[in-house]
Amino acid sequence: MASSAFPSRVAVVLGGGGLKGFAHIGVLRALKERGIRPALYAGTSIGALIAAARAAGISLDEMDARARALQKQDLFRINHLAMLLERMKSPSLYHEEPLRELCRLNAPNGTFEDLRVPLLVNTVDVEHGTRVVWGLPGLRNVKVEDAIYASCALPGFFPPGIVGERPCIDGGTIDNLPAAIAGLGAEMVIAVDVGTTSLGHARLIRRQGFAAIYMRAASIMMHALQLQPLASWSGPPMLLIRPDVAHRDMFSFVHTEELIEAGYDATIAALDQVADHELKPGVIYPRRRVNVLVDRGKCTGCGICVSLAPDRIVLDLANKAVIANPVMEWSPADGDFVQQCPFEAISVHSLDGTKRTTRPISQPMAVSPND
């Protein structure tokens, strides 16, 4: 199926991931070039912010310029007074207003009822512990900028946002990539994951301060929460795009151009891989044939891989992991059991001519919001 022949009701879902989310701008540019006009946008955190900017009619050139101009002081200002006076009862590490202003500049004016293109913004009601997706029926008569702020309000970093009468926080707490709700009524979902692409190996994370450790823990949590919805996907055909951004820090302001280009390149590659293919419901694309191998010298028989993928891997009589069918077809959502091996005994080799899959190593935080 060529891009020009994509269904008319395409839902574009943009995931959270801190400033790695600048890759979404490149994704949107690639979709525009291929003539794909989303019928609905949905997002979490920075994904919600960029989706809202697009729904507001902000041009991609303007979004690109704003992203490149954003500086650390425009977003992160430590709330010294509250931390001094309220100590552990301080609502957040950073002031609310800089993030609020960013949302005002990029979100559409008015409520969700006023939007031409439907927009879903994923948040969590922190008092009730429930997910609230603004833009759904019954959840539209609130200001879009309030919902965007709440979706970006990472717990502990920024205060919760009041949307309507609900105190809400970052939707990534429950679902960092709200594809299932966006897929209702859609003929196809294009989902962009920048926050849980690959956990990689975060070198010396214990020495990088509590903010870095907290964000690492949040990334691990979001990654784990994302696995089941994708593994059990039963909605319309999904094109899952995972830009190569895992090695970049969530709070780095110095790689904007690279991140945008990564989003563009990943989208073009994904679209090319599914061109002229019949896309089927309940299937995640693009798909590729791989050969999965176990290094028996490294394998200790701990069984973690078996617990995660019992249909694909077993322990033999020597208590070593064995792949049931080493040559298999999978999508970007498959194969988490490979990364979860504590001894890196499992490797993946692509059979389509690309290089061997490896676990990337994340760079130390070059720029911390605490600096």
Side-chain angles (χ1 to χ4, degrees), residues 90 123 130 134 198 226 286 349 361:
S90 174
T123 68
T130 56
W134 302 99
S198 175
Q226 205 65 69
H349 303 257
I361 297 179

Side-chain angles (χ1 to χ4, degrees), residues 10 38 79 107 128 131 136 154 158 164 177 191 212 240 243 247 282 300 324:
V10 176
N79 193 351
H128 291 86
R131 182 182 181 189
L136 291 175
L154 187 66
F158 296 99
L177 193 68
L240 179 59
H247 60 295
T300 67

Side-chain angles (χ1 to χ4, degrees), residues 199-217:
L199 291 176
H201 176 198
R203 295 179 297 186
L204 302 177
I205 187 69
R206 66 187 184 279
R207 300 181 185 176
Q208 296 175 34
F210 80 89
I213 295 172
Y214 177 88
M215 287 310 304
R216 177 65 174 175

Side-chain angles (χ1 to χ4, degrees), residues 334-355:
D334 294 315
D336 186 68
F337 66 90
V338 175
Q339 284 197 13
Q340 293 298 324
C341 176
F343 305 99
E344 300 188 7
I346 309 174
S347 61
V348 181
H349 303 257
S350 177
L351 297 179
D352 62 3
T354 57
K355 64 182 180 181

Side-chain angles (χ1 to χ4, degrees), residues 64 81 156 165 199 206 288 312 356:
D64 187 298
L81 184 60
E165 298 180 352
L199 291 176
R206 66 187 184 279
R288 59 185 177 130
R312 294 187 171 182
R356 171 180 171 176

Side-chain angles (χ1 to χ4, degrees), residues 275-320:
D276 302 318
H277 282 69
E278 180 183 357
L279 304 183
K280 300 178 181 179
V283 180
I284 297 177
Y285 299 89
R287 305 190 69 79
R288 59 185 177 130
R289 293 179 71 245
V290 297
N291 189 18
V292 184
L293 304 176
V294 176
D295 186 329
R296 294 179 67 84
K298 291 182 177 180
C299 178
T300 67
C302 69
I304 291 177
C305 58
V306 179
S307 68
L308 294 172
D311 57 330
R312 294 187 171 182
I313 193 164
V314 296
L315 294 178
D316 64 12
L317 295 178
N319 204 41
K320 297 288 185 177

Side-chain angles (χ1 to χ4, degrees), residues 1 3 5-13 31 35-42 117-118 182-183 185-191 236-237 239:
M1 178 184 293
S3 301
F6 269 26
S8 58
R9 295 198 307 276
V10 176
V12 170
V13 184
L31 295 180
I36 299 171
R37 301 183 62 182
L40 175 145
Y41 290 98
V117 180
E187 295 176 308
M188 181 178 182
V189 172
I190 298 177
L239 184 64

